[in-house]
Amino acid sequence: MSTLERGVTRQETAERVVVRFAGDSGDGMQLAGDRFTAATAALGNDLATLPDFPAEIRAPAGTIGGVSAFQIHFASRDILTPGDRPNVLVAMNPAALRANMGLMDRGATIILNEDAFTVRGIQKAGYTTNPLEDESLDAYVVRRVPMTTLTAAAVEALEGVGSRDAQKARNLFALGLISWLYDRPTEVTQQWIEGKFASKPEIAAANVAAFKAGWSFGETSELIDVQIHVPKATDVPPGVYRNVNGTTTTALGLVAASSASGLPLVFGAYPITPASELLHTLSRHAKLGVRTVQAEDEIAAASIALGASFGGRLGVTATSGPGMDLKSETIGLAVMLELPMVIVDVQRAGPSTGLPTKTEQSDLLMALHGRHGESPIPVVAASTPGQCFDAAYEAARIAVKYRTPVILLTDLFLANSSEPWLIPDAGALAPIDARQRTTPPGDDEVFHPYARDADLAREWAVPGTPGLAHRIGGLEKADLTGAISYEGPNHQRMTDLRAAKIAGIDVPDLEVHGEEDASLLVIGWGSSRGAIRAGARRARESGARVATAHFHHLNPLPANTAEVLRAYDRVLLPEMNCGQLASVLRAKFLVDVESYSRVEGRPLFAPEIETAILERI
C-alpha cells in the first residue's frame, strides 16, 4: 500500500524537485544519492544527477575541504539538467551546511543531523557561532533531526553490530527519511542492501534497520509534516531504459563499436581522475573480448593502444587533461602511421593538477591543435551522459573508416552524472567495416601500404600476412610505398593528403531548434547542452524568440556551420572555459560569436543562460 493512502499530516504534489545530500567524504553521501536515484528511476521519474566530490583524498573530518555532495533533480516531465537550486538540503554536519548554503534559496528546506552540531564540529566548519542558535537560518525551513542518536537506537539490539557500524549507517537513516518525504519505493533499496552485504548479514541488518528507522521517523514524527509526491514522467519516449552515467555509456559505446567492426578492443590506460573509472568499467567486459591494460604511465598507455591498432585491433586509451599533455607525441605518431585509435579525454579543471574533482571544457584547443607539426585529427564531443554512447561509437567509426586517431571529449560532469538512457536498437547502429587487408598481393600486384581509397584512408595491413610487410615509424612516409622520405615536395603532398582526409570526413549538419524568426542563436558543445536548452526554454516562456544549436563534431565542423551562424543577428556561445570554441569560430567564419564563459569548476546552470539570453534580446 502506498504511503499516500496511510493518512500523513499533509500531502503535496510537485512537478519537479531538487534534493542535495551533503556530508563528510566518509559519510556515504554518494551511496545515499545513488540509491535514491535508483529508487527514483524505478518509480518512472525523469532525472539527472550531479555528484560533487572533494578534491582532497582525505581532508580532516568535519572541515569544508572534505565535504562530499550528491544532487538529484527528478520530475514528472522531461528535464535537462541536475537542477540549479536545491529544494531540500540534507546536511550531515556543520561543514556540509556551510559549504552548501550558497546554493539555497530563501524558503528552501534544510534537514540537519542535529547530533553533529557540537562545539568542536561547529568550530572545525569555520563558524564563529552556532548556526542553529543564531539567526542565520531564519530564512529557511529547518528540520533538526538527531540522526546519529536515532540510528544508534535502531541498531542497538542487533547482534554483532557495534557503535562504529551505527555511525556508518547514518547515511541510510537519511536516505530512509528522504525516501519517505518523496514517497520513493523501499524495496529497491532494501534489496540492494541485502545483496551488497550478503556475506556480512549483521552489516546488512544494521543498514536495513537504519533505513527503516529513517522512513519511520518521517512517517510518524510531527517534525516532518508534509509528504511530497512527484508523479512518474509521461512525456518520455517508450522503450527499455537503464539508469546510467557517462562512464558506463562511453564503455558500452566502445564495446558496441568493437562488436560492429569485428575488432577486439584493447584499452590501455594509466589511472587519473576522473578517467580511471572507464578502465574499471571496461575491465568487467573480458567475456566480450575486451582487453584492458593498466600501464606504467600515460605515454605507455597511449603506446599500448597504438600498438594494438597496428596489430589489427581497436586501440583505445583514456585520460584527463594532464595525461593528454603526455600522450601528444604518441598521438602525433598515430597521425603519421595513419592508424585507427580512439583517445578519450575526460576533461577536468586545469592547468596542471588544477581542480581534479571539478569539471571544465578547457581541453578543446589542445584537442584541435596540441601536437607537433601539421597533424589535424577528428574531434568528437559528447553532450549528455546517455549521448556518450553515441559519441564513443561515432569516434570509433570515424577512426576505423578513415584510419586516423580520434579524440573523444567528455568531462567530469558527464562521466559521473546519471540519467535514464533509452537502450538503442543494436541493429540500427551505423555499420563499421574494418576493411583490413589480410590477403597477400597477386602475382602482378605490388602492395602499397599508403595507397588510398575514395575517403583517402590508407590500407590497414595486419602484421604477419605474407607479402604485406611494410615500414612503420615517425619519419615521413613516401607516398604509396611508405618508405622513409626526406623530400620536401613529398612532405608537402603527404601533409596535404592527411589534412584533406580529415577535412573530408562526412559529419551531420548542424541542427537548429527554436523559432524560425529568432534573432539570437545560442550554440554550444559538450555538457553545456542541457543548460543551454533549459535556459532557452525558460527565455521562451518569458517571450523571447531564440534558437539553439549544438556541436557534436568539432573537427571537421558541420558543412553548414557558416550558413547557420550567419543567419542570425547575434550568436551566443556559453562554454566552461575562456571562450575557446568562440575564438575558433570567429577566426574561421569571421562571425562575431559572443562568448559567455565560466571556469569555476562547476557545470553551467540554466538560470545564468536564461539571463544571458534575455540581456541580449
Side-chain angles (χ1 to χ4, degrees):
M1 180 172 64
S2 168
T3 56
L4 292 178
E5 302 172 2
R6 290 204 284 258
V8 295
T9 303
R10 189 169 84 253
Q11 300 165 6
E12 295 179 358
T13 298
E15 182 185 53
R16 65 182 188 89
V17 170
V18 180
V19 177
R20 188 173 180 90
F21 297 87
D24 259 335
S25 58
D27 281 343
M29 294 297 94
Q30 303 303 321
L31 186 146
D34 180 72
R35 290 301 91 206
F36 189 82
T37 299
T40 298
L43 198 60
N45 293 124
D46 195 19
L47 63 90
T49 69
L50 176 62
D52 188 0
F53 302 97
E56 301 295 330
I57 295 175
R58 179 56 70 183
T63 63
I64 296 290
V67 173
S68 175
F70 187 102
Q71 183 164 305
I72 175 173
H73 180 194
F74 58 102
S76 59
R77 59 175 175 83
D78 174 51
I79 57 174
L80 303 169
T81 72
D84 312 311
R85 300 286 188 174
N87 302 105
V88 172
L89 170 67
V90 180
M92 301 300 288
N93 62 18
L97 175 65
R98 187 161 184 247
N100 289 279
M101 283 305 299
L103 300 174
M104 308 301 293
D105 282 333
R106 297 173 63 91
T109 298
I110 301 174
I111 300 176
L112 302 168
N113 177 17
E114 185 178 25
D115 291 329
F117 282 74
T118 62
V119 173
R120 180 60 177 150
I122 292 168
Q123 291 174 344
K124 290 175 72 174
Y127 283 110
T128 56
T129 61
N130 187 343
L132 302 187
E133 298 175 356
D134 59 25
E135 299 178 352
S136 60
L137 299 180
D138 287 356
Y140 308 94
V141 178
V142 179
R143 302 298 187 222
R144 300 164 57 167
V145 182
M147 297 186 193
T148 304
T149 300
L150 293 172
T151 302
V155 305
E156 64 180 356
L158 299 176
E159 289 189 19
V161 177
S163 59
R164 183 178 177 83
D165 299 316
Q167 287 282 332
K168 289 183 176 181
R170 288 175 301 174
N171 62 330
L172 272 300
F173 181 96
L175 175 59
L177 175 55
I178 299 301
S179 295
W180 176 85
L181 179 61
Y182 292 106
D183 198 34
R184 302 295 93 180
T186 60
E187 297 80 6
V188 175
T189 300
Q190 186 167 333
Q191 290 173 5
W192 179 87
I193 294 172
E194 292 168 348
K196 175 72 173 178
F197 300 103
S199 61
K200 299 178 179 178
E202 68 282 357
I203 301 300
N207 281 287
V208 169
F211 177 72
K212 289 182 175 180
W215 177 281
S216 297
F217 181 84
E219 188 176 31
T220 60
S221 172
E222 295 181 359
L223 183 65
I224 310 296
D225 59 354
V226 61
Q227 187 180 46
I228 301 168
H229 179 61
V230 180
K232 67 182 297 184
T234 58
D235 59 350
V236 296
V240 179
Y241 285 81
R242 173 180 173 182
N243 192 47
V244 296
N245 60 27
T247 297
T248 300
T249 46
T250 300
L252 291 176
L254 293 171
V255 172
S258 170
S259 176
S261 64
L263 301 172
L265 175 62
V266 177
F267 183 81
Y270 178 76
I272 182 172
T273 301
S276 301
E277 192 57 35
L278 186 58
L279 173 62
H280 302 158
T281 302
L282 283 171
S283 68
R284 304 184 188 110
H285 295 298
K287 291 182 179 180
L288 299 176
V290 177
R291 297 293 178 263
T292 54
V293 183
Q294 180 173 317
E296 62 186 18
D297 55 41
E298 295 284 7
I299 300 172
S303 299
I304 287 168
L306 183 55
S309 293
F310 175 67
R313 303 298 192 258
L314 178 58
V316 182
T317 187
T319 188
S320 186
M324 286 294 291
D325 298 339
L326 295 168
K327 293 180 188 293
S328 60
E329 184 178 7
T330 303
I331 298 172
L333 176 59
V335 172
M336 177 64 72
L337 299 182
E338 297 190 55
L339 285 171
M341 177 182 175
V342 177
I343 305 98
V344 182
D345 178 8
V346 189
Q347 299 169 95
R348 74 188 201 193
S352 187
T353 304
L355 305 176
T357 62
K358 306 301 178 183
T359 196
E360 208 163 272
Q361 291 179 301
S362 54
D363 293 351
L364 174 59
L365 293 182
M366 177 168 63
L368 294 173
H369 308 299
R371 288 163 300 283
H372 171 61
E374 296 290 340
S375 52
I377 64 175
V379 179
V380 177
S383 59
T384 69
Q387 201 273 331
C388 284
F389 175 91
D390 303 305
Y393 190 90
E394 174 70 353
R397 185 194 68 83
I398 292 174
V400 171
K401 180 177 180 179
Y402 294 93
R403 314 293 199 237
T404 178
V406 177
I407 292 178
L408 169 60
L409 294 176
T410 69
D411 59 38
L412 184 146
F413 171 51
L414 292 178
N416 293 337
S417 298
S418 59
E419 66 178 3
W421 174 56
L422 178 60
I423 298 176
D425 177 7
L429 297 176
I432 303 178
D433 185 0
R435 307 184 329 278
Q436 287 180 333
R437 177 69 183 269
T438 57
T439 58
D443 294 338
D444 298 328
E445 181 188 1
V446 177
F447 171 60
H448 289 142
Y450 280 79
R452 301 175 185 277
D453 62 17
D455 295 315
L456 299 182
R458 79 172 183 91
E459 291 209 83
W460 187 7
V462 176
T465 304
L468 301 186
H470 59 285
R471 186 187 302 270
I472 66 167
L475 295 175
E476 182 61 280
K477 304 293 180 288
D479 190 18
L480 293 179
T481 67
I484 295 173
S485 173
Y486 292 98
E487 299 296 325
N490 177 76
H491 179 52
Q492 180 74 60
R493 174 167 173 75
M494 296 300 284
T495 298
D496 292 343
L497 282 170
R498 290 188 290 262
K501 177 177 67 172
I502 303 307
I505 293 174
D506 184 26
V507 303
D509 278 348
L510 194 61
E511 294 185 6
V512 179
H513 303 275
E515 288 80 1
E516 293 184 0
D517 61 345
S519 61
L520 174 67
L521 172 69
V522 185
I523 57 176
W525 68 277
S527 62
S528 62
R529 179 173 179 263
I532 289 173
R533 289 183 61 196
R537 184 162 66 186
R538 296 183 185 188
R540 291 188 190 105
E541 292 171 354
S542 300
R545 305 192 68 79
V546 59
T548 62
H550 207 77
F551 288 93
H552 289 102
H553 293 83
L554 297 169
N555 192 40
L557 290 164
N560 68 333
T561 300
E563 175 187 351
V564 170
L565 295 180
R566 291 168 182 159
Y568 297 86
D569 296 337
R570 303 182 75 171
V571 179
L572 174 66
L573 174 50
E575 296 181 81
M576 290 183 288
N577 55 46
C578 291
Q580 294 186 13
L581 182 58
S583 297
V584 170
L585 296 178
R586 288 192 203 110
K588 190 173 182 65
F589 301 109
L590 302 181
V591 174
D592 184 18
V593 177
E594 302 177 39
S595 177
Y596 178 90
S597 64
R598 290 289 182 272
V599 281
E600 300 176 0
R602 62 164 176 84
L604 293 169
F605 295 140
E608 62 185 315
I609 304 298
E610 177 191 10
T611 299
I613 290 172
L614 295 178
E615 287 175 349
R616 289 163 172 80
I617 292 182

